[in-house]
């Protein structure tokens, strides 16, 4: 087996820990058209291991936009800022929900929202519909 192999037990653990929702955009997997993926928070090419502490449940869009990135340029300062890290950071420390829009509370929130395109118009529409239906929740 390669070092990227994820056992069914580990996959189940990641899904359960995440509450079956993307750990970046918070979309529940029950409303997704494509199966969710396991994201190496620190990509294997950067030395990130395939173990529970380095895996996050990610929707296809968030995983595609994040890729192997660890950081991005802050749109306000131009500084290189680490992305939100689901194992080390609390969502509510970096983001808040304003209607259907994610508002950043920190530079880390700003770069994550920008890089993952969390406030793209299509994502806002989807989030608004889920909020209206009571299917979208923000962690406490």
């Amino acid at each position: 087996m390669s070092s990227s192999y994820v056992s069914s037990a580990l996959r189940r653990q990641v899904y359960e820990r995440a509450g079956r929702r993307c750990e970046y955009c918070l979309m529940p997997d029950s409303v997704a058209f494509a199966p969710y993926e396991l994201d190496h928070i620190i990509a294997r090419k950067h030395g990130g291991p395939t173990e529970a502490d380095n895996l996050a449940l990610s929707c296809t869009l968030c995983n595609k936009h994040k890729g192997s990135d660890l950081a991005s340029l802050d749109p306000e300062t131009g500084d290189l800022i680490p992305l939100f890290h689901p194992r080390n950071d609390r969502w509510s420390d970096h983001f808040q929900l304003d209607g259907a829009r994610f508002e950043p509370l920190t530079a880390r929130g700003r770069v994550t929202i920008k890089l993952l395109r969390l406030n793209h118009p299509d994502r806002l529409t989807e989030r608004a519909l889920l909020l209206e239906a009571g299917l979208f929740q923000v962690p406490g």
Side-chain angles (χ1 to χ4, degrees):
M1 277 182 253
S2 75
S3 62
S4 65
Y5 173 76
V6 179
S7 69
S8 59
L10 180 55
R11 183 173 299 278
R12 208 171 18 261
Q13 177 186 353
V14 173
Y15 265 80
E16 289 172 9
R17 178 184 61 205
R20 303 192 66 86
R21 63 182 175 177
C22 176
E23 295 188 69
Y24 299 104
C25 73
L26 307 179
M27 287 294 190
D29 74 336
S30 60
V31 300
F33 291 111
Y36 278 16
E37 303 167 355
L38 298 187
D39 170 52
H40 282 78
I41 300 165
I42 298 173
R44 289 184 321 138
K45 78 178 193 177
H46 297 300
T50 302
E51 59 189 37
D53 286 343
N54 190 48
L55 293 174
L57 188 61
S58 181
C59 72
T60 303
L61 289 174
C62 285
N63 205 23
K64 176 183 134 192
H65 293 308
K66 179 182 172 286
S68 63
D69 292 336
L70 301 172
S72 187
L73 297 176
D74 185 340
E76 288 187 14
T77 66
D79 294 337
L80 184 64
I81 303 292
L83 296 173
F84 173 75
H85 188 300
R87 297 289 72 74
N88 297 336
D89 299 327
R90 278 186 9 175
W91 193 92
S92 59
D93 289 342
H94 299 282
F95 312 95
Q96 66 182 10
L97 193 62
D98 182 10
R101 185 173 195 76
F102 287 165
E103 293 296 336
L105 300 175
T106 63
R108 188 170 290 219
R110 273 194 306 274
V111 299
T112 302
I113 288 169
K114 181 179 180 242
L115 187 74
L116 274 56
R117 301 177 192 166
L118 297 176
N119 286 329
H120 183 279
D122 292 341
R123 302 208 80 187
L124 290 174
T125 300
E126 180 180 45
R127 198 174 301 127
L129 291 169
L130 291 173
L131 281 163
E132 188 176 316
L135 298 173
F136 188 86
Q137 297 175 353
V138 174

